[in-house]
Amino acid sequence: MAEEINGGTSMDSTESRWVIQDDDEDASDLENFDADLRLGRHGGVVDSEEEEDNAEQRLIRTGPRIDSFDVEALEVPGAHRSDYEDISVGKKIVLAFQTLGVVFGDVGTSPLYTFSVMFRKAPINGNEDILGALSLVLYTLILFPLLKYVLVVLWANDDGEGGTFALYSLICRHAKVSLLPNQLPSDARISSFRLKVPSPELERSLKIKERLENSLALKKTLLILVLAGTSMVIANGVVTPAMSVMSSVGGLKVGVDAIKKDEVVMISVACLIILFSVQKYGTSKMGLAVGPALFLWFCSLAGIGIYNLVKYDNSVLRAFNPIHIYYFFKRNSTNAWYSLGGCLLSATGSEAMFADLCYFSVRSVQLSFVFLVLPCLLLGYLGQAAYLMENHADAGQAFFSSVPSGAFWPTFLIANIAALIASRAMTTATFSCIKQSTALGCFPRLKIIHTSRKFMGQIYIPVINWFLLALSLVLVCTISSIDEIGNAYGIAELGVMMMTTILVTLVMILIWQIHIIIVLSFVVLFLGLELTFFSSVLWSVTDGSWIILVFAIIMFLIMYVWNYGSNLKYETEVKQKLSTDLMRELGCNLGTIRAPGIGLLYNELVKGIPAIFGHFLTTLPAIHSMIIFVSIKYVPVPMVLQSERFLFRRVCPKSYHIFRCIARYGYKDVRKENHQTFEQLLIESLEKFIRREAQERSLESDGDDDTDSEDEYPNSRVLIAPNGSVYSLGVPLLADFKGTSNPILEASTSDVISPVSTDPLVFDAEQSLESELYFIHKAKESGVVYLLGHGDIRARKDSWFIKKLVINYFYAFLRKNCRRGITTLSVPHSHLMQVSMTYMV
């Protein structure tokens, strides 16, 4: 059977694809087969046994295919698609419990301020107004958090990741709409091609996909929507702590008559500082710690709600009839429209359920919301409305006024703890979105700390944490009115909601391929409602909430400038790669002196010869006798075994002694090994690669040294399966090999036993192998030097003024202050050599 190849037998994107063709098959038939293979219309992989049965078949080349070496960097043992696929029932319950403290804190604390903000904008003129406002809140809760997010949006995750960038990544892997540098090798794996029954939905999906792929304007629009949504998420991370803490601490005005507004602000500032100081302890630890507190909070909401329903007026249950919404607008008209901004606060935190999905599983979030969070919220709002039916004057502090006097201080304490926890919900969502945007090249690199060894998604970003704290303190101190902060809250939340609706609609059409009526119903209902709510909060933007819009615009510009500059830099580096023809012209000495030793050249490119290497050749008087291009890749597993750490490939003919290496690290691997240990492991892995390569070449009858470059590797017989996997067609296709009747197959993680042969060609190959291994040992003894190349970009003199401003100042400032890619490398300064290179774009 065909084996999937790894390690040293894969090829780069400039190489050809091998397929089987009958002798009487013409070129057009081959092209049709190639197209069918890419579209998944061929059911499986051509078997080596099948080839033996049909002697008329032959192996030929087709056009270029996607790179596989970079893809293999992620193929490590234990790399599962999701951390939550195989967890037990007990762990699911624990995860569901943790979601209370991480995901639902925001939406759970909305009863603290929703009615207060609504009735300040639309004062109570009668009990019918209370019923109308309550009905509006109930159906807002049912429509947005429940129907939209819990039942629909949560399923549009990208391998367990949620948020606007996860949606964009998901769409990009099903349609070629990405404008980002292909820095994620996992994006190149085409797992979505599968045989489908023709249907109107499939035809519609293909038409829209083709339109998106062929329109640069639509691609740019899609990216702008994603960046705008992400900037709103970050803005939410600023306004959520301010709103939650200010509203909970404001309850002191009910319990203590002498408390002043300035004192409430100072207490809120102290609470915010404490909140962001404990963020570093991680989601899992904090989730277990604060989960019981949120559980008590939701139980308190339900208990107080039931108490008020029994004591005051249970007729508020009539609010489940939506006719009261019509009466509310009929009685209040413009004021009712203004109050929509306050009503939306009941659904704030809905986006956190999706953005925080990387921390938990879909099922745990759904179970917690449906069976605990939603019932408690509904009872809490019903209880407040029942109290207000007999106490219209207390609408300004509806929640705390409705709490029974004997339970006020315990409830106040729990409410403040819940508010602090709620603030963490959008903070963790912000961390998640920034991590995703960084991975896709849309945000400057920052230090990311993984706080859990079990779940990769649980992270902490120190710089963002303190940045959010500073801005939250500014917001609390400058805008101390709950109404103004609430309006800013609504602007940020609705901005994210609308972007999510648009992206999920694309997912429905392109990926889920569901009926068009369902798609139209979804987009018309939710986008229409969100635009209506947005018009309400936007009307009051001049009252101080404009600050949050300015902040969101600044974050958008940072991401857009970084993406624009990164694209230019990546494209320039790819264009200026050194060609293999130039390397052949230079000869094995590379046009300079080859001094004994090993040079490890760190570079982000994983294919081709980087231009910075040419800069080393022209700058240095000599170059090392052996060069290894090293790329650091972080793979989605906690730790990578030392035996699986390195992947190698030969870059040029054997006499050049140039290799490419990908060093793989898990997200919990600590790169603090001694450099001598690192070098020893690298050399040992290189020797294993060379031995396996010699094993393969010993099976070839015409082992020409000049045919093993990474750009032209005819000795590799591979076939691309419909799912994107690369399969070896192996030894049976080598007609000249007569040493054995059985195919010898190999994988990168297993050693292959060499066949015993007296063939003189094999003997020469063994001598060549020993000679190369001896050369490596001598180079190692001469010393290892780390070559680091820094590539920067500058706008050309004839560029537009705006481009010069963006590239030479804004992007340069971001690059100077972001975390460099070599920061995590344990490079000894005594063995370090750095060269800078500037690209004109």
Side-chain angles (χ1 to χ4, degrees):
M1 294 293 293
E3 283 278 316
E4 193 171 329
I5 67 168
N6 298 296
T9 59
S10 58
M11 304 183 294
D12 267 358
S13 59
T14 56
E15 299 165 348
S16 302
R17 184 189 291 112
W18 291 93
V19 296
I20 299 294
Q21 181 194 23
D22 293 330
D23 285 340
D24 59 349
E25 204 173 17
D26 59 18
S28 62
D29 292 335
L30 173 61
E31 291 174 0
N32 292 335
F33 175 83
D34 192 34
D36 289 346
L37 191 62
R38 289 195 302 271
L39 292 174
R41 289 196 285 265
H42 283 248
V45 181
V46 179
D47 203 306
S48 59
E49 295 176 2
E50 182 180 340
E51 193 278 339
E52 287 180 331
D53 295 337
N54 190 352
E56 298 299 315
Q57 290 180 324
R58 57 195 176 92
L59 193 68
I60 65 169
R61 290 181 185 270
T62 68
R65 65 172 177 82
I66 58 172
D67 177 63
S68 64
F69 189 49
D70 202 13
V71 173
E72 290 155 20
L74 295 182
E75 300 292 345
V76 294
H80 300 294
R81 285 181 55 81
S82 175
D83 296 313
Y84 306 101
E85 287 180 352
D86 302 319
I87 60 177
S88 64
V89 176
K91 288 186 178 179
K92 286 181 180 179
I93 295 174
V94 172
L95 282 175
F97 194 68
Q98 287 181 348
T99 60
L100 295 179
V102 177
V103 177
F104 298 116
D106 194 358
V107 70
T109 54
S110 60
L112 288 172
Y113 42 76
T114 299
F115 276 147
S116 300
V117 175
M118 282 188 73
F119 290 129
R120 286 195 186 101
K121 295 184 177 182
I124 300 174
N125 296 318
N127 286 347
E128 186 62 40
D129 290 341
I130 298 174
L131 282 176
L134 174 61
S135 183
L136 200 56
V137 167
L138 295 180
Y139 281 98
T140 299
L141 272 174
I142 292 171
L143 285 173
F144 287 106
L146 179 62
L147 291 184
K148 179 184 174 182
Y149 281 90
V150 171
L151 298 184
V152 179
V153 174
L154 288 184
W155 293 112
N157 64 84
D158 181 27
D159 196 17
E161 294 278 349
T164 50
F165 259 104
L167 287 171
Y168 182 68
S169 175
L170 183 64
I171 293 170
C172 288
R173 288 195 288 107
H174 288 78
K176 298 176 182 178
V177 296
S178 176
L179 292 175
L180 309 174
N182 187 20
Q183 296 174 346
L184 285 181
S186 58
D187 292 342
R189 282 186 280 191
I190 305 173
S191 59
S192 60
F193 291 151
R194 56 185 181 276
L195 188 62
K196 290 186 176 181
V197 178
S199 64
E201 289 76 19
L202 177 59
E203 184 179 354
R204 186 182 306 109
S205 170
L206 294 176
K207 287 182 179 179
I208 295 176
K209 175 183 175 183
E210 182 180 3
R211 180 71 181 274
L212 284 172
E213 291 177 345
N214 295 332
S215 173
L216 181 61
L218 289 177
K219 291 180 182 179
K220 289 184 177 180
T221 301
L222 185 61
L223 179 61
I224 288 173
L225 288 176
V226 172
L227 296 182
T230 305
S231 65
M232 288 295 184
V233 171
I234 300 173
N236 247 332
V238 174
V239 73
T240 298
M243 185 68 182
S244 300
V245 173
M246 280 288 290
S247 59
S248 61
V249 176
L252 283 173
K253 295 179 180 179
V254 177
V256 182
D257 295 334
I259 198 77
K260 296 180 181 179
K261 185 177 180 179
D262 291 342
E263 294 171 344
V264 171
V265 171
M266 293 307 298
I267 295 173
S268 300
V269 168
C271 290
L272 286 173
I273 293 174
I274 294 173
L275 164 70
F276 283 95
S277 297
V278 300
Q279 190 77 36
K280 62 182 179 181
Y281 293 108
T283 303
S284 186
K285 300 181 184 69
M286 292 299 297
L288 283 175
V290 302
L294 258 295
F295 182 74
L296 286 176
W297 167 248
F298 284 114
C299 291
S300 300
L301 278 180
I304 294 171
I306 294 172
Y307 171 83
N308 287 330
L309 281 172
V310 173
K311 181 177 180 180
Y312 295 103
D313 191 350
N314 59 14
S315 66
V316 294
L317 294 173
R318 291 180 296 158
F320 282 103
N321 185 350
I323 193 65
H324 292 285
I325 298 176
Y326 168 74
Y327 294 148
F328 180 64
F329 277 89
K330 184 178 180 180
R331 286 165 58 92
N332 296 278
S333 60
T334 305
N335 286 339
W337 179 64
Y338 285 147
S339 70
L340 286 177
C343 177
L344 179 73
L345 296 178
S346 63
T348 53
S350 300
E351 188 66 30
M353 286 192 289
F354 185 46
D356 281 331
L357 192 61
C358 63
Y359 297 90
F360 304 102
S361 64
V362 173
R363 286 297 185 193
S364 64
V365 175
Q366 290 176 326
L367 289 173
S368 299
F369 185 82
V370 173
F371 293 105
L372 178 63
V373 176
L374 183 60
C376 292
L377 286 175
L378 294 179
L379 286 172
Y381 285 114
L382 287 167
Q384 287 185 50
Y387 173 82
L388 291 176
M389 294 287 277
E390 298 183 8
N391 302 274
H392 293 182
D394 292 335
Q397 281 287 349
F399 175 77
F400 286 107
S401 298
S402 67
V403 176
S405 57
F408 177 83
W409 289 111
T411 304
F412 174 79
L413 178 62
I414 296 174
N416 276 271
I417 295 174
L420 292 175
I421 296 167
S423 303
R424 299 187 68 256
M426 280 312 302
T427 305
T428 53
T430 302
F431 292 161
S432 175
C433 285
I434 288 177
K435 181 194 72 172
Q436 295 167 5
S437 58
T438 301
L440 290 173
C442 287
F443 204 90
R445 286 187 296 266
L446 301 172
K447 181 179 181 180
I448 297 177
I449 299 174
H450 292 269
T451 59
S452 172
R453 287 185 174 271
K454 294 182 180 179
F455 304 113
M456 181 181 179
Q458 300 187 6
I459 60 173
Y460 168 68
I461 307 179
V463 173
I464 297 298
N465 184 66
W466 302 119
F467 180 66
L468 294 178
L469 170 61
L471 290 174
S472 295
L473 294 179
V474 170
L475 196 63
V476 167
C477 295
T478 56
I479 307 178
S480 55
S481 169
I482 290 294
D483 292 347
E484 295 177 3
I485 296 178
N487 201 63
Y489 203 176
I491 291 173
E493 185 72 18
L494 280 166
V496 186
M497 282 183 169
M498 289 189 292
M499 302 309 157
T500 299
T501 301
I502 295 171
L503 294 174
V504 171
T505 301
L506 280 177
V507 170
M508 287 180 167
I509 296 173
L510 293 175
I511 304 172
W512 295 351
Q513 296 175 11
I514 59 181
H515 200 280
I516 190 63
I517 294 179
I518 300 176
V519 177
L520 288 177
S521 300
F522 176 83
V523 69
V524 169
L525 174 63
F526 290 108
L527 191 59
L529 288 173
E530 287 158 1
L531 286 172
T532 303
F533 279 98
F534 194 64
S535 66
S536 174
V537 296
L538 210 57
W539 188 262
S540 305
V541 73
T542 56
D543 62 5
S545 54
W546 58 269
I547 294 178
I548 208 67
L549 270 180
V550 172
F551 171 70
I553 291 172
I554 292 173
M555 297 308 301
F556 172 83
L557 291 176
I558 289 175
M559 289 187 288
Y560 190 83
V561 167
W562 183 262
N563 171 64
Y564 177 69
S566 299
N567 269 329
L568 285 179
K569 181 175 180 292
Y570 180 84
E571 291 169 0
T572 305
E573 287 181 340
V574 171
K575 289 178 182 177
Q576 297 191 14
K577 289 189 304 184
L578 301 183
S579 67
T580 52
D581 292 337
L582 174 62
M583 298 297 289
R584 289 192 180 98
E585 291 177 7
L586 291 175
C588 60
N589 288 329
L590 301 177
T592 183
I593 301 173
R594 301 294 294 269
I598 298 177
L600 302 182
L601 196 156
Y602 285 87
N603 191 263
E604 295 179 359
L605 292 180
V606 291
K607 54 186 177 182
I609 302 170
I612 197 73
F613 180 61
H615 202 47
F616 274 106
L617 292 178
T618 57
T619 303
L620 302 179
I623 199 69
H624 301 83
S625 58
M626 177 173 287
I627 296 294
I628 302 176
F629 300 130
V630 181
S631 295
I632 303 294
K633 289 291 179 183
Y634 289 91
V635 292
V637 293
M639 302 180 72
V640 177
L641 298 176
Q642 296 287 12
S643 59
E644 301 287 341
R645 177 79 69 209
F646 301 102
L647 291 179
F648 281 91
R649 177 185 293 168
R650 195 183 295 275
V651 176
C652 292
K654 184 179 293 186
S655 59
Y656 284 63
H657 302 294
I658 300 179
F659 299 89
R660 184 182 315 286
C661 168
I662 291 183
R664 305 182 294 179
Y665 289 86
Y667 58 85
K668 291 304 293 184
D669 276 325
V670 180
R671 295 214 56 242
K672 291 184 179 179
E673 68 260 86
N674 181 276
H675 72 277
Q676 294 178 342
T677 304
F678 175 83
E679 295 163 8
Q680 184 64 33
L681 290 172
L682 186 142
I683 296 303
E684 290 176 359
S685 299
L686 177 59
E687 291 176 352
K688 291 179 181 179
F689 162 76
I690 291 174
R691 292 182 189 277
R692 286 198 299 269
E693 182 192 50
Q695 174 96 49
E696 283 186 342
R697 296 182 63 81
S698 69
L699 303 179
E700 299 281 0
S701 60
D702 55 346
D704 184 5
D705 288 347
D706 292 335
T707 63
D708 55 359
S709 72
E710 67 173 356
D711 292 313
E712 192 173 1
Y713 211 122
N715 296 334
S716 295
R717 269 61 168 173
V718 297
L719 184 69
I720 309 301
N723 65 354
S725 298
V726 185
Y727 290 86
S728 170
L729 296 181
V731 179
L733 294 177
L734 309 181
D736 295 334
F737 178 67
K738 306 295 183 182
T740 179
S741 60
N742 297 321
I744 299 177
L745 307 172
E746 77 167 77
S748 64
T749 56
S750 60
D751 293 330
V752 182
I753 303 175
S754 302
V756 178
S757 175
T758 58
D759 194 314
L761 291 176
V762 175
F763 180 74
D764 291 342
E766 291 177 354
Q767 280 191 327
S768 175
L769 171 63
E770 295 302 323
S771 173
E772 187 166 17
L773 293 177
Y774 176 77
F775 181 88
I776 293 174
H777 282 292
K778 296 299 291 182
K780 174 67 170 62
E781 291 176 359
S782 299
V784 177
V785 175
Y786 295 78
L787 309 174
L788 302 181
H790 300 297
D792 293 312
I793 59 173
R794 299 280 294 178
R796 298 180 186 274
K797 292 183 179 180
D798 57 349
S799 301
W800 291 90
F801 171 76
I802 297 297
K803 183 177 181 180
K804 291 181 180 179
L805 184 67
V806 169
I807 297 298
N808 297 347
Y809 295 97
F810 295 156
Y811 180 71
F813 174 80
L814 293 175
R815 275 189 62 83
K816 182 179 180 180
N817 290 278
C818 78
R819 187 178 175 87
R820 287 188 175 270
I822 62 168
T823 304
T824 57
L825 303 180
S826 301
V827 180
H829 293 285
S830 58
H831 295 71
L832 179 63
M833 186 178 297
Q834 300 188 57
V835 171
S836 296
M837 185 173 183
T838 300
Y839 302 102
M840 303 304 294
V841 296

